[in-house]
Amino acid sequence: MRLLRISLTVLTCTVLIAVGALVFLLQTHPDFSITERPAQPTDKAVRMLFLGTSSMAWTDGQSTWLVDGFFSRQPVGEVLLSRLNVEEGRVLEVLDEVFRRLEIPAALSGIVVAHSHYDHALDAPFLAMQFGARLYGSQSTWQIAQGQNLPAMQMEVMQKGGVASLGQFEVKLVLSAHAPTGFTGGFNTQPLRLPARALSFKEGLSYSFVVSHPALGPAPFALIQPSAGFLPGQNKGLTVNTVFLGTGGLGKLDEQYMADYWQEMVVSTKAKKVYLIHWDDFTQPLLAQGKPVALKPMPRLLDDFPRSLELLKMFSKRDEVDLQVLNAWEMIYF
């Protein structure tokens, strides 16, 4: 019995040390800072406010919609050791600040969800219910929405893609892929009740979003690629001026993959501006005591953002593309 107790004590200590080491590594960020850019002209109606990961708020002053809307951003200890729930107060605080910065009424037309991992889909059903917005995504995202009791009439399942009409905005959901990481794949096949473990949120299908607005002409003007994955030829025939390019996990992949990704998303679309998104550590908050918090890169254990940024800068210089890294609360005007 004494030997058993000693063995259990040693095992417990080993597990605690391992967990502590993992938490430490997931809180170790590469050195990186964003150079503040000059203010853009503010007399343009169509604008986008970046909110970390691939979350964004888009508006033309009449209709406002979100990509993902993930604002809970639980700290790493909670993600690893507990079950996750929507941090309702934190989510609503962020959205209040969004409406204030966009200078628009507190209303949402819709939310498009990139895929069904928790850092994209956790908060979306709550936001849809709070604002009577329509939710667009995959069957796996619908299972998350059902788990939060979102009425079926507020969700449109788009398994193979489709078009979300959000006021004068037209947002085309195009089947794409997640970056090839250890978190890729799987489907939610039954309602996912909260609280739930982070790994319970399976990817489902992944989408990119092609955005059009009549104020900017009949053709699409922007492509949003939330994840650093792609399907060869997914953008065939598409031309846009601006690409929002997800980089999460890209720094751990080989240079040929990065080159192919850039070719599919930027070169093939003839884009002239690229904004990097989903590069940040989404266990860090967007607001602290009501004040904006600058983003930090993903921990080195999960990504190597300086490496991917260096290669993407090389590609952008070669192809004469304007490349910028977006910080939280940064506004882009069109």
Side-chain angles (χ1 to χ4, degrees), residues 15-293:
V15 170
L16 289 175
I17 291 170
V19 170
L22 180 59
V23 170
F24 174 78
L25 289 171
L26 289 173
Q27 292 177 324
T28 304
H29 305 89
D31 291 331
F32 178 75
S33 61
I34 297 177
T35 303
E36 189 171 341
R37 284 182 286 276
Q40 296 186 52
T42 59
D43 58 345
K44 298 180 180 180
V46 177
R47 53 204 186 273
M48 184 282 300
L49 184 65
F50 181 58
L51 300 163
T53 56
S54 55
S55 292
M56 308 172 176
W58 290 77
T59 191
D60 60 2
Q62 302 299 316
S63 298
T64 303
W65 54 279
L66 301 177
V67 176
D68 294 343
F70 173 63
F71 307 140
S72 285
R73 296 174 70 100
Q74 290 87 345
V76 64
E78 289 184 29
V79 175
L80 289 176
L81 302 175
S82 65
R83 298 176 186 272
L84 303 181
N85 210 333
V86 176
E87 300 294 333
E88 296 183 5
R90 187 181 305 160
V91 169
L92 293 176
E93 180 188 26
V94 169
L95 204 55
D96 284 345
E97 181 67 12
V98 168
F99 293 136
R100 187 187 72 79
R101 287 176 178 247
L102 291 175
E103 298 180 317
I104 53 172
L108 291 176
S109 300
I111 306 167
V112 296
V113 178
H115 60 264
S116 302
H117 286 153
Y118 90 93
D119 57 313
H120 297 266
L122 172 62
D123 297 337
F126 168 74
L127 288 168
M129 286 189 287
Q130 287 292 305
F131 292 92
R134 196 161 181 79
L135 193 62
Y136 301 85
S138 71
Q139 183 68 35
S140 288
T141 296
W142 169 233
Q143 298 294 352
I144 297 170
Q146 280 189 294
Q148 296 184 39
N149 299 313
L150 181 72
M153 63 182 296
Q154 281 186 249
M155 173 79 194
E156 187 163 342
V157 176
M158 294 187 162
Q159 280 297 92
K160 296 184 179 179
V163 175
S165 296
L166 303 166
Q168 292 196 74
F169 285 99
E170 183 178 280
V171 184
K172 184 178 181 182
L173 282 72
V174 178
L175 279 178
S176 187
H178 192 278
T181 69
F183 305 105
T184 304
F187 295 89
N188 302 314
T189 57
Q190 57 187 6
L192 184 58
R193 305 291 177 186
L194 300 181
R197 299 285 184 187
L199 292 179
S200 297
F201 292 79
K202 305 302 182 185
E203 175 198 347
L205 297 177
S206 287
Y207 302 101
S208 61
F209 307 115
V210 179
V211 186
S212 305
H213 193 285
L216 299 171
F221 67 92
L223 167 65
I224 306 166
Q225 182 64 27
S227 298
F230 66 99
L231 297 177
Q234 73 173 64
N235 296 319
K236 185 178 180 180
L238 175 65
T239 299
V240 293
N241 183 69
T242 303
V243 172
F244 295 91
L245 192 68
T247 65
L250 191 63
K252 295 291 187 179
L253 302 174
D254 62 58
E255 186 172 339
Q256 185 59 55
Y257 180 91
M258 291 191 205
D260 293 343
Y261 180 51
W262 178 268
Q263 177 70 31
E264 181 65 43
M265 294 297 152
V266 181
V267 177
S268 72
T269 61
K270 300 179 175 64
K272 294 302 178 186
K273 291 184 179 180
V274 173
Y275 296 101
L276 300 186
I277 61 172
H278 208 337
W279 58 272
D280 57 298
D281 180 356
F282 46 82
T283 66
Q284 304 291 313
L286 293 171
L287 293 172
Q289 298 181 331
K291 296 182 178 180
V293 177

